[in-house]
Amino acid sequence: MEFLPNWFFELNPIVQALMGGLFTWGVTSLGAALVFFTKGINYKLLDGMMGFAAGVMIAASVWSLIIPGIELAEAQGMIGWIPAAIGFLLGGVFLRICDAYVPHLHIGLPRDEAEGVDTKWKRATLLVLAITLHNIPEGLAIGVLFGAASLGLDMVGGATVAGAITLAIGIGIQNFPEGIAISMPLRRDGLSRFKSFNYGQLSGIVEPVSAVIGAAAVIFITPILPYALAFAAGAMIYVVVEELIPESQLHGNADLATLGVMLGFVVMMVLDVALG
């Protein structure tokens, strides 16, 4: 990571996690900012980018979270697959519970198909909450890796600052289309450019918060780390299967979206192996 100054590696891991989360939030905002330049949206491009985002999250879940978690559990004398399996399933259950109770609306669906408890909230608010829900595990994943690296676990579990930075870069890349996917439909619905942008960037604000929580949790409760890594992976995979892939195929571009998934997977895999 020669492009980063040495002082970054000397920062408190919670501060590193915060900066990683702020970066991913910033990329979400960058995607949302396109609403200032155009009102239209190319659905072929967006669906391909959403598929790409799904591929990035799948690869990040495997190489950045599950594999290091298994290695760390084995180094601690545990059966490696047990915390991985438990944490992975708990991550999915957590997102399912959030889906059931938090009001939200998936991209591309009409207001009357909102999920969660009944509410009178506006369509814009529900769209932001949908993206916010799946940004939580992304922030947690970044924070957990920075926290793990600070504990000197790079020798036993593959957790390094470089790996955490790589994960933040990958998540940032896939956050770009998410910002677009929020701001553009709201602009078409008649909201001003500024309001559309504001709602789009707002969906990413949870990432620095959850990154700090993730880093602090593993630093102060080290034994949960293998479970925490798998938990973040399970939550991310739930989002991919339940939201990103279906949304990428709403406009008849299934083949393009599928190719996007494969490309995103390869890009994140290469980033993690080469840089992490």
Side-chain angles (χ1 to χ4, degrees):
M1 293 290 178
E2 296 180 357
F3 58 87
L4 285 174
N6 290 332
W7 57 259
F8 180 86
F9 294 89
E10 299 172 359
L11 291 174
N12 182 287
I14 294 178
V15 176
Q16 291 175 334
L18 174 62
M19 294 179 69
L22 288 172
F23 167 75
T24 57
W25 177 24
V27 180
T28 303
S29 301
L30 191 62
L34 290 186
V35 77
F36 290 113
F37 305 99
T38 179
K39 185 177 181 179
I41 186 169
N42 184 319
Y43 280 108
K44 284 189 175 181
L45 177 61
L46 180 61
D47 291 345
M49 293 175 71
M50 294 294 282
F52 181 89
V56 168
M57 290 180 70
I58 294 170
S61 297
V62 176
W63 268 272
S64 298
L65 300 169
I66 294 177
I67 292 177
I70 291 174
E71 293 175 350
L72 178 60
E74 291 174 343
Q76 293 179 347
M78 293 184 276
I79 299 174
W81 59 265
I82 291 180
I86 294 173
F88 186 86
L89 293 175
L90 286 176
V93 169
F94 170 75
L95 259 293
R96 177 64 189 94
I97 293 173
C98 290
D99 262 356
Y101 292 102
V102 178
H104 63 284
L105 177 65
H106 295 306
I107 296 168
L109 298 181
R111 170 65 178 79
D112 58 7
E113 292 190 30
E115 300 179 14
V117 298
D118 290 334
T119 178
K120 301 294 186 182
W121 292 348
K122 295 180 179 179
R123 169 182 164 83
T125 302
L126 295 173
L127 284 171
V128 170
L129 284 174
I131 300 294
T132 300
L133 276 178
H134 82 236
N135 281 343
I136 292 174
E138 295 172 10
L140 285 175
I142 293 170
V144 166
L145 275 188
F146 275 115
S150 74
L151 298 173
L153 300 175
D154 55 309
M155 299 301 294
V156 296
T160 65
V161 173
I165 294 170
T166 301
L167 178 62
I169 292 172
I171 289 176
I173 291 172
Q174 65 92 35
N175 275 3
F176 186 79
E178 292 179 359
I180 299 173
I182 289 289
S183 63
M184 292 297 188
L186 294 179
R187 177 60 179 154
R188 286 202 318 275
D189 287 348
L191 269 69
S192 69
R193 295 183 189 275
F194 178 76
K195 283 187 176 180
S196 299
F197 164 75
N198 198 40
Y199 277 119
Q201 64 82 26
L202 192 61
S203 66
I205 197 171
V206 71
E207 292 202 7
V209 176
S210 52
V212 168
I213 292 172
V218 299
I219 289 172
F220 295 111
I221 317 175
T222 305
I224 72 168
L225 182 53
Y227 297 91
L229 289 165
F231 180 93
M236 287 171 65
I237 293 297
Y238 183 94
V239 168
V240 168
V241 178
E242 205 263 345
E243 294 183 28
L244 287 182
I245 290 179
E247 288 167 7
S248 71
Q249 302 189 9
L250 285 175
H251 308 103
N253 299 312
D255 290 341
L256 182 61
T258 301
L259 291 174
V261 172
M262 298 180 69
L263 179 61
F265 186 94
V266 170
V267 168
M268 186 62 208
M269 178 184 67
V270 170
L271 281 174
D272 196 277
V273 174
L275 301 180

